[in-house]
């Protein structure tokens, strides 16, 4: 099958590495598509506004652009329309609206591409032989696939990504420079998490906060701790545990 990957960033390029067959890249940044295609002998760059169709269109763009890109690229898919954008409910709803006759699946790699392989969440709107082949390709690349409903996935991501990232970034903002020799194991663990999160791309984490929030819940919890007397603190401590 031939696949069009819309989005020539890290996720789109990673998807291409697990597929067996010709791949085309399209991106708002034409140079990015050309550079991604140059990484494979059986890949090419195509215009984002082209009219060529493919067996599969895989949308791998930032979450903020996912639904718009799905709408504009759906008519280029002959068999299946899938996404790897990070959220599931909104992409699958749009897929069902604009491509009701196609196979439709949302994949979310639960890792940064540089840390592949890993777990991939999978939510199916309408399955079939083409998406089965895609899923098999992800599995063949040593990834563990986890089947989940779109609603369950997005609700879980509010804690797994939204609140987790907000807490780590809040620690990074609140922490002051301290002597290395005074570090404790807990502090060192948090420093390592801060370094991992801030070693990424700010826009990715901004998108996660926009879609899954998290910062308000972390701020509210911090306020509870700040305002608690010893008895209230003990109760909060037990709740956290």
């Amino acid at each position: 099958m031939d696949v069009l990957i819309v989005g020539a960033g890290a996720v789109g390029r990673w998807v291409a590495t697990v597929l067996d067959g010709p791949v085309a890249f399209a991106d708002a940044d034409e140079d990015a598509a050309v550079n991604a295609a140059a990484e494979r002998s059986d890949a090419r760059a195509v215009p984002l506004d082209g009219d060529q169709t493919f067996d599969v269109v895989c949308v791998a763009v930032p979450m903020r652009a996912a639904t718009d890109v799905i709408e504009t690229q759906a008519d280029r898919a002959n068999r299946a329309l899938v996404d790897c954008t990070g959220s599931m409910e909104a992409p699958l709803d749009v897929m069902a609206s604009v491509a009701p006759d196609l196979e439709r699946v949302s994949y979310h790699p639960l890792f940064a591409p540089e840390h592949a392989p890993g777990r991939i969440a999978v939510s199916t709107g309408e399955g079939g032989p083409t998406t089965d082949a895609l899923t098999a390709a992800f599995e063949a690349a040593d990834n563990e696939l986890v089947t989940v409903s779109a609603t369950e996935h997005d609700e879980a991501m509010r804690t797994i990504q939204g609140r987790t990232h907000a807490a780590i970034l809040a620690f990074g903002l609140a922490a002051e420079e301290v002597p290395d020799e005074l570090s404790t194991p807990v502090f060192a663990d948090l420093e390592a998490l801060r370094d991992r999160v801030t070693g990424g791309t700010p826009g990715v984490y901004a998108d996660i906060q926009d879609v899954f929030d998290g910062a308000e819940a972390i701020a509210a919890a911090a306020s509870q701790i700040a305002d608690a007397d010893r008895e209230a603190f003990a109760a909060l401590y037990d709740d956290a545990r």
Side-chain angles (χ1 to χ4, degrees), residues 148 150-164 212:
V148 66
T151 300
E152 181 183 4
H153 169 273
D154 285 7
E155 187 59 36
M157 287 304 123
R158 296 185 187 281
T159 290
I160 292 169
Q161 289 189 319
R163 292 167 184 166
T164 298
F212 299 126

Side-chain angles (χ1 to χ4, degrees), residues 43-239:
R44 67 192 190 282
V46 298
L48 187 62
D49 59 355
D51 56 7
Q52 181 182 359
T53 61
F54 299 81
D55 295 328
V56 180
V57 170
C58 175
V59 174
V61 300
M63 282 191 287
R64 65 183 180 277
T67 55
D68 288 342
V69 172
I70 289 169
E71 286 182 343
T72 59
Q73 297 295 317
D75 60 0
R76 302 181 78 176
N78 294 321
R79 299 183 190 174
L81 178 61
V82 305
D83 86 287
C84 296
T85 59
S87 64
M88 289 186 165
E89 285 189 284
L92 282 170
D93 285 347
V94 173
M95 288 185 213
S97 175
V98 299
D101 298 327
L102 297 181
E103 296 173 40
R104 306 179 303 278
V105 175
S106 183
Y107 298 96
H108 181 195
L110 302 172
F111 51 86
E114 63 268 24
H115 298 299
R119 285 193 302 275
I120 301 175
V122 183
S123 186
T124 301
E126 184 65 42
T130 303
T131 52
D132 286 348
L134 284 174
T135 299
F138 285 123
E139 284 188 308
D142 295 327
N143 295 290
E144 176 190 355
L145 273 66
V146 180
T147 301
V148 66
S149 74
T151 300
E152 181 183 4
H153 169 273
D154 285 7
E155 187 59 36
M157 287 304 123
R158 296 185 187 281
T159 290
I160 292 169
Q161 289 189 319
R163 292 167 184 166
T164 298
H165 298 162
I168 293 168
L169 290 170
F171 161 76
L173 292 171
E176 297 181 352
E177 193 168 333
V178 296
D180 290 341
E181 59 270 23
L182 296 181
S183 178
T184 65
V186 171
F187 176 77
D189 287 346
L190 280 172
E191 271 205 319
L193 290 170
R194 178 197 62 192
D195 291 347
R196 180 163 181 169
V197 169
T198 57
T201 303
V204 171
Y205 292 94
D207 286 348
I208 287 170
Q209 290 302 311
D210 285 344
V211 175
F212 299 126
D213 195 12
E216 289 187 5
I218 296 301
S223 293
Q224 283 184 288
I225 294 170
D227 295 340
D229 58 21
R230 290 185 65 84
E231 182 179 353
F233 182 92
L236 292 172
Y237 187 91
D238 285 340
D239 284 348

Side-chain angles (χ1 to χ4, degrees), residues 37-48:
E39 296 176 359
R40 290 176 54 119
S41 60
D42 58 351
R44 67 192 190 282
V46 298
L48 187 62

